[in-house]
Amino acid sequence: MKDLLCLGIETSCDETAAAVVRGGVEVLSNVVRTQVEIHRIFGGVVPEIACRAHAEAIGPVVDKALADAGVKLDAVGVIAVTSQPGLIGALLIGVSAAKALALGAGKPIVGVDHIAAHLYANRLVHPDLPYPNVGLVVSGGHTALYHSTGPADHEKLGATRDDAAGEAFDKVAKIMGLGYPGGPLIDRMARDGNAKAVAMPRLDDGGPDFSFSGVKTAVLYKWKGQNAGKGKRPKAAPPRPKPEDLAASFQEAVVDALVSKTLRAAAERGVKAVAVGGGVACNSRLRERMGEACHAAGLRLYVPPVMYCTDNAAMVAGLGSAMFGMGRVSTLELDAVATV
Ligand code: KG4
Ligand code: ZN
């Protein structure tokens, strides 16, 4: 296991990625070809366009991952691929490529869960990540809390009832005309704003589930006027808040919910560590607030560096290696699954 080379492949959304990881934790190469520029003019990911771009990129991206690592496919011990959840057409391209490579080179294949891979990303920098822990995955497609007992063993404690956190960031940026993807833009703008300037709804029902549609609608009304977006003519809008203040107030409301529910789950489960993953884990305010809260509660906090927060294949190869080590291999019957 220590010297096992794993080729990881990731195509679940709008990044075509491949990586080679040794022993489950040592990243030898990490190639990510993002499609952000292609989707920017649409203000979001267009599945058909994503699939075409994955199909064009997957061969060169895999070749580059092997070349950067200085290894030949022959030397690879196992191939890991994200098989769920994600855009079905996009997943199918990665899964088909992985199967073709596995069949052609006679290698075992492991289907990996994208969400579990986001949590595994922490082990690429902290191989000693303790279990059990409470995991928070916050990305463009998912927002959920887990009780994790191992790299591939996650019991879901709660999830979003509507938008994912990243989706809310992206939609709010769109409402405010800031651009795409919205998360980094709001993050940057919020640094110059007052998070207490604009009142935001905070619905904490004491449970582990999240809901972000209320804050998103609040931003819409503050920015475009009450009832905007309902097909009705908005009531005369009060003066708009400063965009920096609105961005900061929205971000603070989202971060409040993420931090308080994670800390509560950690206390209820009696764990000593919290692991965060996914694109929204790049958010500077979330990192700061989660850090303070975990410190105050005596919890160790693990958040990956930015390059392992957003979609990448190193996390897929890492988790695939761990699963291979546990005998949790797939067959060439492996199928892509859009939702789990
Ligand atoms: O994990 P990821 O790369 O893809 C999915 O699996 O969805 O996450 C992408 C999401 C986008 O919604 C993006 O706006 C958000 O992560 N994001 C951020 C930040 N950087 C990326 N959200 C808030 N603050 C950031 N700094
Ligand atoms: Zn992701």
Side-chain angles (χ1 to χ4, degrees):
M1 174 66 194
K2 201 163 68 50
D3 294 319
L4 175 78
L5 290 178
C6 180
L7 169 67
I9 293 176
E10 156 66 43
T11 62
S12 66
C13 189
D14 60 342
E15 261 93 30
T16 316
V20 177
V21 168
R22 178 157 50 206
V25 291
E26 189 192 347
V27 181
L28 301 187
S29 66
N30 183 31
V31 180
V32 180
R33 188 173 297 180
T34 180
Q35 303 174 3
V36 143
E37 289 311 321
I38 310 176
H39 298 292
R40 196 186 298 280
I41 52 164
F42 303 103
V45 178
V46 183
E48 290 79 5
I49 297 176
C51 292
R52 183 169 289 270
H54 281 309
E56 282 168 8
I58 190 71
V61 164
V62 167
D63 286 348
K64 181 159 170 41
L66 291 169
D68 286 1
V71 301
K72 298 254 184 302
L73 187 56
D74 271 357
V76 165
V78 60
I79 295 170
V81 61
T82 301
S83 58
Q84 62 176 48
L87 300 172
I88 189 67
L91 286 167
L92 275 169
I93 290 164
V95 168
S96 306
K99 282 187 191 177
L101 289 167
L103 182 64
K107 305 291 178 185
I109 184 168
V110 179
V112 162
D113 182 283
H114 183 81
I115 310 292
H118 270 306
L119 291 174
Y120 189 95
N122 284 292
R123 296 194 80 197
L124 298 174
V125 276
H126 295 289
D128 56 345
L129 174 73
Y131 295 100
N133 63 54
V134 158
L136 171 70
V137 175
V138 266
S139 73
H142 309 275
T143 296
L145 270 172
Y146 297 87
H147 179 246
S148 306
T149 49
D153 297 290
H154 310 282
E155 175 200 351
K156 195 190 269 186
L157 302 176
T160 182
R161 297 203 184 102
D162 36 63
D163 292 344
E167 195 180 351
F169 270 94
D170 293 342
K171 287 180 178 168
V172 158
K174 198 169 184 175
I175 291 168
M176 295 175 67
L178 300 179
Y180 169 86
L185 300 168
I186 300 262
D187 189 347
R188 209 169 310 131
M189 185 172 244
R191 282 175 211 164
D192 300 321
N194 174 2
K196 295 201 172 83
V198 187
M200 285 285 145
R202 278 176 172 70
L203 286 174
D204 192 354
D205 54 4
D209 291 326
F210 301 92
S211 167
F212 298 112
S213 69
V215 266
K216 185 190 66 189
T217 307
V219 170
L220 176 71
Y221 290 177
K222 303 273 182 200
W223 194 246
K224 297 202 170 159
Q226 196 73 19
N227 289 334
K230 284 192 175 167
K232 296 182 202 157
R233 184 196 262 270
K235 286 187 189 153
R240 276 185 173 172
K242 265 177 62 189
E244 291 83 359
D245 289 348
L246 188 55
S249 302
F250 158 76
Q251 177 176 268
E252 203 68 14
V254 172
V255 168
D256 268 354
L258 296 174
V259 171
S260 62
K261 287 179 184 259
T262 304
L263 270 281
R264 192 184 303 140
E268 280 172 11
R269 290 300 174 128
V271 298
K272 303 267 184 306
V274 165
V276 185
V280 183
C282 297
N283 185 267
S284 56
R285 187 66 180 143
L286 176 61
R287 291 169 97 98
E288 184 178 301
R289 290 272 316 276
M290 194 70 91
E292 290 163 5
C294 285
H295 181 75
L299 292 163
R300 287 207 63 180
L301 173 64
Y302 297 83
V303 189
V306 164
M307 69 176 174
Y308 297 143
C309 287
T310 46
D311 287 349
N312 66 87
M315 65 183 190
V316 174
L319 176 55
S321 309
M323 290 173 68
F324 183 69
M326 291 185 269
R328 285 154 81 161
V329 289
S330 309
T331 66
L332 289 174
E333 304 294 306
L334 176 66
D335 221 346
V337 180
T339 48
V340 285

